PDB file of all heavy atoms in Angstrom:
ATOM      1  N   MET A   1      -4.755  -0.674  -9.766  1.00  0.00           N
ATOM      2  CA  MET A   1      -3.439  -0.156 -10.155  1.00  0.00           C
ATOM      3  C   MET A   1      -2.338  -0.956  -9.462  1.00  0.00           C
ATOM      4  O   MET A   1      -1.336  -1.323 -10.094  1.00  0.00           O
ATOM      5  CB  MET A   1      -3.336   1.318  -9.787  1.00  0.00           C
ATOM      6  CG  MET A   1      -1.973   1.922  -9.939  1.00  0.00           C
ATOM      7  SD  MET A   1      -1.872   3.620  -9.384  1.00  0.00           S
ATOM      8  CE  MET A   1      -2.136   3.451  -7.629  1.00  0.00           C
ATOM      9  N   ILE A   2      -2.514  -1.265  -8.191  1.00  0.00           N
ATOM     10  CA  ILE A   2      -1.519  -2.019  -7.429  1.00  0.00           C
ATOM     11  C   ILE A   2      -1.371  -3.431  -7.984  1.00  0.00           C
ATOM     12  O   ILE A   2      -0.274  -3.963  -8.081  1.00  0.00           O
ATOM     13  CB  ILE A   2      -1.898  -2.023  -5.932  1.00  0.00           C
ATOM     14  CG1 ILE A   2      -1.685  -0.635  -5.336  1.00  0.00           C
ATOM     15  CG2 ILE A   2      -1.119  -3.066  -5.160  1.00  0.00           C
ATOM     16  CD1 ILE A   2      -2.202  -0.483  -3.924  1.00  0.00           C
ATOM     17  N   GLN A   3      -2.480  -4.029  -8.379  1.00  0.00           N
ATOM     18  CA  GLN A   3      -2.432  -5.390  -8.899  1.00  0.00           C
ATOM     19  C   GLN A   3      -1.814  -5.479 -10.281  1.00  0.00           C
ATOM     20  O   GLN A   3      -1.203  -6.477 -10.631  1.00  0.00           O
ATOM     21  CB  GLN A   3      -3.836  -5.992  -8.913  1.00  0.00           C
ATOM     22  CG  GLN A   3      -4.365  -6.274  -7.528  1.00  0.00           C
ATOM     23  CD  GLN A   3      -5.791  -6.772  -7.533  1.00  0.00           C
ATOM     24  OE1 GLN A   3      -6.530  -6.551  -8.484  1.00  0.00           O
ATOM     25  NE2 GLN A   3      -6.177  -7.437  -6.446  1.00  0.00           N
ATOM     26  N   VAL A   4      -1.929  -4.425 -11.082  1.00  0.00           N
ATOM     27  CA  VAL A   4      -1.361  -4.423 -12.436  1.00  0.00           C
ATOM     28  C   VAL A   4       0.148  -4.192 -12.398  1.00  0.00           C
ATOM     29  O   VAL A   4       0.881  -4.739 -13.220  1.00  0.00           O
ATOM     30  CB  VAL A   4      -2.057  -3.350 -13.309  1.00  0.00           C
ATOM     31  CG1 VAL A   4      -1.311  -3.104 -14.593  1.00  0.00           C
ATOM     32  CG2 VAL A   4      -3.471  -3.763 -13.595  1.00  0.00           C
ATOM     33  N   ALA A   5       0.621  -3.429 -11.428  1.00  0.00           N
ATOM     34  CA  ALA A   5       2.043  -3.083 -11.356  1.00  0.00           C
ATOM     35  C   ALA A   5       2.891  -4.302 -11.019  1.00  0.00           C
ATOM     36  O   ALA A   5       2.407  -5.296 -10.470  1.00  0.00           O
ATOM     37  CB  ALA A   5       2.253  -1.994 -10.307  1.00  0.00           C
ATOM     38  N   ASP A   6       4.169  -4.221 -11.370  1.00  0.00           N
ATOM     39  CA  ASP A   6       5.089  -5.300 -11.022  1.00  0.00           C
ATOM     40  C   ASP A   6       5.237  -5.424  -9.512  1.00  0.00           C
ATOM     41  O   ASP A   6       5.299  -6.526  -8.976  1.00  0.00           O
ATOM     42  CB  ASP A   6       6.464  -5.043 -11.650  1.00  0.00           C
ATOM     43  CG  ASP A   6       6.412  -5.143 -13.165  1.00  0.00           C
ATOM     44  OD1 ASP A   6       5.838  -6.122 -13.671  1.00  0.00           O
ATOM     45  OD2 ASP A   6       6.935  -4.238 -13.831  1.00  0.00           O
ATOM     46  N   THR A   7       5.331  -4.296  -8.842  1.00  0.00           N
ATOM     47  CA  THR A   7       5.418  -4.272  -7.383  1.00  0.00           C
ATOM     48  C   THR A   7       4.388  -3.287  -6.874  1.00  0.00           C
ATOM     49  O   THR A   7       4.340  -2.144  -7.313  1.00  0.00           O
ATOM     50  CB  THR A   7       6.818  -3.841  -6.913  1.00  0.00           C
ATOM     51  OG1 THR A   7       7.788  -4.705  -7.502  1.00  0.00           O
ATOM     52  CG2 THR A   7       6.934  -3.907  -5.408  1.00  0.00           C
ATOM     53  N   GLY A   8       3.578  -3.720  -5.935  1.00  0.00           N
ATOM     54  CA  GLY A   8       2.558  -2.865  -5.358  1.00  0.00           C
ATOM     55  C   GLY A   8       2.832  -2.600  -3.893  1.00  0.00           C
ATOM     56  O   GLY A   8       3.185  -3.504  -3.141  1.00  0.00           O
ATOM     57  N   VAL A   9       2.683  -1.343  -3.510  1.00  0.00           N
ATOM     58  CA  VAL A   9       2.878  -0.940  -2.116  1.00  0.00           C
ATOM     59  C   VAL A   9       1.581  -0.322  -1.633  1.00  0.00           C
ATOM     60  O   VAL A   9       1.075   0.618  -2.240  1.00  0.00           O
ATOM     61  CB  VAL A   9       4.042   0.069  -1.978  1.00  0.00           C
ATOM     62  CG1 VAL A   9       4.184   0.532  -0.541  1.00  0.00           C
ATOM     63  CG2 VAL A   9       5.343  -0.538  -2.467  1.00  0.00           C
ATOM     64  N   GLY A  10       1.056  -0.858  -0.550  1.00  0.00           N
ATOM     65  CA  GLY A  10      -0.163  -0.336   0.040  1.00  0.00           C
ATOM     66  C   GLY A  10       0.152   0.442   1.296  1.00  0.00           C
ATOM     67  O   GLY A  10       0.987   0.032   2.106  1.00  0.00           O
ATOM     68  N   ILE A  11      -0.523   1.561   1.466  1.00  0.00           N
ATOM     69  CA  ILE A  11      -0.358   2.387   2.659  1.00  0.00           C
ATOM     70  C   ILE A  11      -1.609   2.227   3.501  1.00  0.00           C
ATOM     71  O   ILE A  11      -2.714   2.515   3.046  1.00  0.00           O
ATOM     72  CB  ILE A  11      -0.138   3.869   2.281  1.00  0.00           C
ATOM     73  CG1 ILE A  11       1.079   4.013   1.375  1.00  0.00           C
ATOM     74  CG2 ILE A  11       0.010   4.719   3.536  1.00  0.00           C
ATOM     75  CD1 ILE A  11       1.274   5.399   0.816  1.00  0.00           C
ATOM     76  N   SER A  12      -1.421   1.747   4.716  1.00  0.00           N
ATOM     77  CA  SER A  12      -2.581   1.609   5.602  1.00  0.00           C
ATOM     78  C   SER A  12      -2.926   2.983   6.160  1.00  0.00           C
ATOM     79  O   SER A  12      -2.062   3.740   6.570  1.00  0.00           O
ATOM     80  CB  SER A  12      -2.275   0.631   6.732  1.00  0.00           C
ATOM     81  OG  SER A  12      -1.191   1.080   7.510  1.00  0.00           O
ATOM     82  N   GLY A  13      -4.195   3.285   6.128  1.00  0.00           N
ATOM     83  CA  GLY A  13      -4.581   4.615   6.572  1.00  0.00           C
ATOM     84  C   GLY A  13      -6.062   4.757   6.777  1.00  0.00           C
ATOM     85  O   GLY A  13      -6.771   3.793   7.077  1.00  0.00           O
ATOM     86  N   GLN A  14      -6.538   5.976   6.563  1.00  0.00           N
ATOM     87  CA  GLN A  14      -7.922   6.317   6.847  1.00  0.00           C
ATOM     88  C   GLN A  14      -8.902   5.694   5.866  1.00  0.00           C
ATOM     89  O   GLN A  14     -10.064   5.499   6.197  1.00  0.00           O
ATOM     90  CB  GLN A  14      -8.081   7.838   6.825  1.00  0.00           C
ATOM     91  CG  GLN A  14      -7.273   8.534   7.882  1.00  0.00           C
ATOM     92  CD  GLN A  14      -7.304  10.039   7.726  1.00  0.00           C
ATOM     93  OE1 GLN A  14      -7.670  10.549   6.688  1.00  0.00           O
ATOM     94  NE2 GLN A  14      -6.906  10.740   8.777  1.00  0.00           N
ATOM     95  N   GLU A  15      -8.455   5.385   4.668  1.00  0.00           N
ATOM     96  CA  GLU A  15      -9.375   4.874   3.655  1.00  0.00           C
ATOM     97  C   GLU A  15      -9.584   3.367   3.751  1.00  0.00           C
ATOM     98  O   GLU A  15     -10.252   2.781   2.911  1.00  0.00           O
ATOM     99  CB  GLU A  15      -8.860   5.241   2.265  1.00  0.00           C
ATOM    100  CG  GLU A  15      -8.918   6.721   1.988  1.00  0.00           C
ATOM    101  CD  GLU A  15      -8.635   7.030   0.530  1.00  0.00           C
ATOM    102  OE1 GLU A  15      -9.029   6.227  -0.328  1.00  0.00           O
ATOM    103  OE2 GLU A  15      -8.019   8.066   0.275  1.00  0.00           O
ATOM    104  N   GLY A  16      -8.983   2.716   4.720  1.00  0.00           N
ATOM    105  CA  GLY A  16      -9.190   1.286   4.895  1.00  0.00           C
ATOM    106  C   GLY A  16      -7.965   0.478   4.529  1.00  0.00           C
ATOM    107  O   GLY A  16      -6.890   1.006   4.291  1.00  0.00           O
ATOM    108  N   MET A  17      -8.168  -0.833   4.498  1.00  0.00           N
ATOM    109  CA  MET A  17      -7.060  -1.754   4.289  1.00  0.00           C
ATOM    110  C   MET A  17      -7.110  -2.461   2.935  1.00  0.00           C
ATOM    111  O   MET A  17      -6.372  -3.409   2.719  1.00  0.00           O
ATOM    112  CB  MET A  17      -7.077  -2.813   5.407  1.00  0.00           C
ATOM    113  CG  MET A  17      -6.860  -2.247   6.796  1.00  0.00           C
ATOM    114  SD  MET A  17      -5.213  -1.564   7.020  1.00  0.00           S
ATOM    115  CE  MET A  17      -4.276  -3.067   7.115  1.00  0.00           C
ATOM    116  N   GLN A  18      -7.955  -2.035   2.013  1.00  0.00           N
ATOM    117  CA  GLN A  18      -8.076  -2.728   0.731  1.00  0.00           C
ATOM    118  C   GLN A  18      -6.765  -2.685  -0.055  1.00  0.00           C
ATOM    119  O   GLN A  18      -6.362  -3.671  -0.658  1.00  0.00           O
ATOM    120  CB  GLN A  18      -9.209  -2.139  -0.117  1.00  0.00           C
ATOM    121  CG  GLN A  18     -10.580  -2.421   0.413  1.00  0.00           C
ATOM    122  CD  GLN A  18     -11.073  -1.326   1.353  1.00  0.00           C
ATOM    123  OE1 GLN A  18     -10.319  -0.456   1.758  1.00  0.00           O
ATOM    124  NE2 GLN A  18     -12.338  -1.378   1.702  1.00  0.00           N
ATOM    125  N   ALA A  19      -6.112  -1.540  -0.095  1.00  0.00           N
ATOM    126  CA  ALA A  19      -4.857  -1.412  -0.839  1.00  0.00           C
ATOM    127  C   ALA A  19      -3.767  -2.268  -0.205  1.00  0.00           C
ATOM    128  O   ALA A  19      -2.969  -2.883  -0.916  1.00  0.00           O
ATOM    129  CB  ALA A  19      -4.418   0.052  -0.891  1.00  0.00           C
ATOM    130  N   VAL A  20      -3.754  -2.332   1.104  1.00  0.00           N
ATOM    131  CA  VAL A  20      -2.755  -3.135   1.799  1.00  0.00           C
ATOM    132  C   VAL A  20      -2.963  -4.613   1.507  1.00  0.00           C
ATOM    133  O   VAL A  20      -2.014  -5.363   1.273  1.00  0.00           O
ATOM    134  CB  VAL A  20      -2.799  -2.862   3.320  1.00  0.00           C
ATOM    135  CG1 VAL A  20      -1.942  -3.837   4.083  1.00  0.00           C
ATOM    136  CG2 VAL A  20      -2.361  -1.438   3.605  1.00  0.00           C
ATOM    137  N   MET A  21      -4.217  -5.040   1.482  1.00  0.00           N
ATOM    138  CA  MET A  21      -4.514  -6.450   1.236  1.00  0.00           C
ATOM    139  C   MET A  21      -4.164  -6.868  -0.201  1.00  0.00           C
ATOM    140  O   MET A  21      -3.852  -8.027  -0.448  1.00  0.00           O
ATOM    141  CB  MET A  21      -5.994  -6.733   1.506  1.00  0.00           C
ATOM    142  CG  MET A  21      -6.415  -6.467   2.939  1.00  0.00           C
ATOM    143  SD  MET A  21      -5.517  -7.448   4.123  1.00  0.00           S
ATOM    144  CE  MET A  21      -6.361  -8.980   3.941  1.00  0.00           C
ATOM    145  N   ALA A  22      -4.189  -5.941  -1.138  1.00  0.00           N
ATOM    146  CA  ALA A  22      -3.897  -6.255  -2.539  1.00  0.00           C
ATOM    147  C   ALA A  22      -2.430  -6.050  -2.902  1.00  0.00           C
ATOM    148  O   ALA A  22      -2.022  -6.385  -4.010  1.00  0.00           O
ATOM    149  CB  ALA A  22      -4.762  -5.388  -3.450  1.00  0.00           C
ATOM    150  N   SER A  23      -1.630  -5.527  -1.997  1.00  0.00           N
ATOM    151  CA  SER A  23      -0.261  -5.135  -2.326  1.00  0.00           C
ATOM    152  C   SER A  23       0.757  -6.216  -1.996  1.00  0.00           C
ATOM    153  O   SER A  23       0.476  -7.166  -1.270  1.00  0.00           O
ATOM    154  CB  SER A  23       0.093  -3.850  -1.571  1.00  0.00           C
ATOM    155  OG  SER A  23       0.119  -4.108  -0.185  1.00  0.00           O
ATOM    156  N   ASP A  24       1.954  -6.018  -2.533  1.00  0.00           N
ATOM    157  CA  ASP A  24       3.081  -6.894  -2.221  1.00  0.00           C
ATOM    158  C   ASP A  24       3.738  -6.502  -0.908  1.00  0.00           C
ATOM    159  O   ASP A  24       4.215  -7.355  -0.167  1.00  0.00           O
ATOM    160  CB  ASP A  24       4.124  -6.838  -3.346  1.00  0.00           C
ATOM    161  CG  ASP A  24       3.559  -7.274  -4.679  1.00  0.00           C
ATOM    162  OD1 ASP A  24       2.892  -8.317  -4.718  1.00  0.00           O
ATOM    163  OD2 ASP A  24       3.775  -6.561  -5.676  1.00  0.00           O
ATOM    164  N   PHE A  25       3.785  -5.204  -0.656  1.00  0.00           N
ATOM    165  CA  PHE A  25       4.380  -4.670   0.562  1.00  0.00           C
ATOM    166  C   PHE A  25       3.409  -3.670   1.174  1.00  0.00           C
ATOM    167  O   PHE A  25       2.683  -2.992   0.451  1.00  0.00           O
ATOM    168  CB  PHE A  25       5.712  -3.962   0.261  1.00  0.00           C
ATOM    169  CG  PHE A  25       6.756  -4.868  -0.316  1.00  0.00           C
ATOM    170  CD1 PHE A  25       6.969  -4.906  -1.682  1.00  0.00           C
ATOM    171  CD2 PHE A  25       7.514  -5.691   0.485  1.00  0.00           C
ATOM    172  CE1 PHE A  25       7.915  -5.745  -2.233  1.00  0.00           C
ATOM    173  CE2 PHE A  25       8.463  -6.534  -0.050  1.00  0.00           C
ATOM    174  CZ  PHE A  25       8.665  -6.563  -1.417  1.00  0.00           C
ATOM    175  N   ALA A  26       3.449  -3.556   2.483  1.00  0.00           N
ATOM    176  CA  ALA A  26       2.586  -2.608   3.181  1.00  0.00           C
ATOM    177  C   ALA A  26       3.435  -1.721   4.078  1.00  0.00           C
ATOM    178  O   ALA A  26       4.359  -2.195   4.742  1.00  0.00           O
ATOM    179  CB  ALA A  26       1.551  -3.345   4.011  1.00  0.00           C
ATOM    180  N   ILE A  27       3.127  -0.443   4.060  1.00  0.00           N
ATOM    181  CA  ILE A  27       3.785   0.516   4.945  1.00  0.00           C
ATOM    182  C   ILE A  27       2.712   1.325   5.645  1.00  0.00           C
ATOM    183  O   ILE A  27       1.574   1.397   5.184  1.00  0.00           O
ATOM    184  CB  ILE A  27       4.770   1.431   4.180  1.00  0.00           C
ATOM    185  CG1 ILE A  27       4.085   2.137   3.010  1.00  0.00           C
ATOM    186  CG2 ILE A  27       5.970   0.643   3.697  1.00  0.00           C
ATOM    187  CD1 ILE A  27       4.990   3.102   2.251  1.00  0.00           C
ATOM    188  N   SER A  28       3.082   1.926   6.761  1.00  0.00           N
ATOM    189  CA  SER A  28       2.080   2.668   7.521  1.00  0.00           C
ATOM    190  C   SER A  28       1.963   4.119   7.077  1.00  0.00           C
ATOM    191  O   SER A  28       0.898   4.716   7.212  1.00  0.00           O
ATOM    192  CB  SER A  28       2.415   2.612   9.017  1.00  0.00           C
ATOM    193  OG  SER A  28       3.683   3.189   9.250  1.00  0.00           O
ATOM    194  N   GLN A  29       3.051   4.691   6.568  1.00  0.00           N
ATOM    195  CA  GLN A  29       3.037   6.079   6.103  1.00  0.00           C
ATOM    196  C   GLN A  29       3.862   6.185   4.822  1.00  0.00           C
ATOM    197  O   GLN A  29       4.787   5.400   4.594  1.00  0.00           O
ATOM    198  CB  GLN A  29       3.623   7.013   7.159  1.00  0.00           C
ATOM    199  CG  GLN A  29       2.810   7.073   8.427  1.00  0.00           C
ATOM    200  CD  GLN A  29       3.465   7.944   9.484  1.00  0.00           C
ATOM    201  OE1 GLN A  29       4.616   8.342   9.356  1.00  0.00           O
ATOM    202  NE2 GLN A  29       2.717   8.249  10.529  1.00  0.00           N
ATOM    203  N   PHE A  30       3.545   7.182   4.028  1.00  0.00           N
ATOM    204  CA  PHE A  30       4.225   7.363   2.748  1.00  0.00           C
ATOM    205  C   PHE A  30       5.713   7.629   2.924  1.00  0.00           C
ATOM    206  O   PHE A  30       6.520   7.239   2.087  1.00  0.00           O
ATOM    207  CB  PHE A  30       3.572   8.517   1.968  1.00  0.00           C
ATOM    208  CG  PHE A  30       4.070   8.633   0.557  1.00  0.00           C
ATOM    209  CD1 PHE A  30       3.616   7.766  -0.425  1.00  0.00           C
ATOM    210  CD2 PHE A  30       5.000   9.599   0.207  1.00  0.00           C
ATOM    211  CE1 PHE A  30       4.078   7.860  -1.731  1.00  0.00           C
ATOM    212  CE2 PHE A  30       5.459   9.702  -1.091  1.00  0.00           C
ATOM    213  CZ  PHE A  30       4.999   8.833  -2.060  1.00  0.00           C
ATOM    214  N   ARG A  31       6.098   8.238   4.015  1.00  0.00           N
ATOM    215  CA  ARG A  31       7.506   8.570   4.225  1.00  0.00           C
ATOM    216  C   ARG A  31       8.386   7.333   4.393  1.00  0.00           C
ATOM    217  O   ARG A  31       9.597   7.402   4.234  1.00  0.00           O
ATOM    218  CB  ARG A  31       7.669   9.503   5.420  1.00  0.00           C
ATOM    219  CG  ARG A  31       7.287   8.907   6.745  1.00  0.00           C
ATOM    220  CD  ARG A  31       7.377   9.962   7.853  1.00  0.00           C
ATOM    221  NE  ARG A  31       6.835   9.441   9.080  1.00  0.00           N
ATOM    222  CZ  ARG A  31       7.589   9.038  10.098  1.00  0.00           C
ATOM    223  NH1 ARG A  31       8.896   9.137  10.019  1.00  0.00           N
ATOM    224  NH2 ARG A  31       7.028   8.563  11.184  1.00  0.00           N
ATOM    225  N   HIS A  32       7.792   6.182   4.679  1.00  0.00           N
ATOM    226  CA  HIS A  32       8.557   4.946   4.822  1.00  0.00           C
ATOM    227  C   HIS A  32       8.894   4.322   3.461  1.00  0.00           C
ATOM    228  O   HIS A  32       9.659   3.355   3.407  1.00  0.00           O
ATOM    229  CB  HIS A  32       7.790   3.932   5.666  1.00  0.00           C
ATOM    230  CG  HIS A  32       7.534   4.397   7.064  1.00  0.00           C
ATOM    231  ND1 HIS A  32       8.540   4.799   7.915  1.00  0.00           N
ATOM    232  CD2 HIS A  32       6.383   4.520   7.760  1.00  0.00           C
ATOM    233  CE1 HIS A  32       8.021   5.152   9.073  1.00  0.00           C
ATOM    234  NE2 HIS A  32       6.708   4.997   9.000  1.00  0.00           N
TER     235      HIS A  32
END
């Protein structure tokens, strides 16, 4: 889903870093 979107944001967390590695931007928590 992140790779298909124009802009992808990955949240680093308990499920690992895969989303962060595939995203354009990375944040530590959703509130950011």
